[in-house]
Amino acid sequence: MEFLRLIHNVRFDTPLGILLSNPLVAASLVLFVWSLAPAIKGTVGRGFLIWLRVTWAAFLLPAVTGVLLALGGEKVASATDAGKGLTRYGLPVDPSRNWEHWMYVAFVLGSLYLIEILITERLTPRRIGLRFLPLVTFFMYGCAFMIGRVAVFPGSTPGT
């Protein structure tokens, strides 16, 4: 279990703080910036596809370990009481954050799948679909950011 927690809780200590807090957030931000070129050019380069696969890996590794931890009875840190009604970060416990954490994980999964659909012309013609690529990748970055934020900070109703 400790090994799964170690993999799941990989964090970057950067001057930008929570904006680039973990590998998924960093990979999503790079993917968003990179998605501007295919949206303008109308074609997807090989480098973008490789980085998309890296983003999938940055998502799946903590997602799979998170599922395994959840099956073992664990909850997100902001929903876990470490003693005296506080989390391990010294903030009030908010059990509702556990479901919110899973909601943002589902949004990132859906976004990654939608990106795959837009690139492969399954939903719309490629030229039209690629115009939506920056919007979807920016949404995914926001959800990845919120995954980390929800895991640490309590919501507006701690203790409920």
Side-chain angles (χ1 to χ4, degrees):
M1 254 337 200
E2 198 57 41
F3 180 68
L4 292 176
R5 269 190 224 101
L6 180 69
I7 292 172
H8 188 75
N9 294 330
V10 171
R11 296 214 164 287
F12 297 144
D13 290 326
T14 64
L16 296 175
I18 201 166
L19 293 176
L20 292 173
S21 60
N22 60 49
L24 176 60
V25 175
S28 298
L29 182 60
V30 170
L31 195 68
F32 164 65
V33 172
W34 206 330
S35 72
L36 297 173
I40 293 169
K41 289 193 275 184
T43 60
V44 177
R46 183 177 173 162
F48 182 83
L49 293 175
I50 291 171
W51 193 258
L52 180 60
R53 301 305 176 254
V54 168
T55 307
W56 270 105
F59 168 73
L60 288 175
L61 192 59
V64 169
T65 57
V67 167
L68 293 174
L69 287 168
L71 291 174
E74 299 281 322
K75 291 184 179 179
V76 69
S78 61
T80 304
D81 191 352
K84 298 181 183 177
L86 299 176
T87 66
R88 69 178 179 199
Y89 300 109
L91 300 167
V93 174
D94 189 357
S96 66
R97 295 299 245 186
N98 193 52
W99 290 109
E100 196 173 346
H101 186 74
W102 285 103
M103 176 189 71
Y104 286 118
V105 169
F107 284 157
V108 170
L109 178 63
S111 297
L112 283 167
Y113 184 68
L114 184 58
I115 291 168
E116 294 284 348
I117 288 173
L118 291 173
I119 289 173
T120 58
E121 296 185 278
R122 285 188 237 159
L123 187 61
T124 62
R126 181 177 288 188
R127 198 138 177 87
I128 294 170
L130 291 180
R131 291 182 187 158
F132 293 103
L133 200 55
L135 178 67
V136 175
T137 55
F138 186 67
F139 175 76
M140 183 179 70
Y141 169 72
C143 291
F145 169 81
M146 287 303 293
I147 288 171
R149 187 178 188 289
V150 164
V152 175
F153 299 109
S156 61
T157 57
T160 60

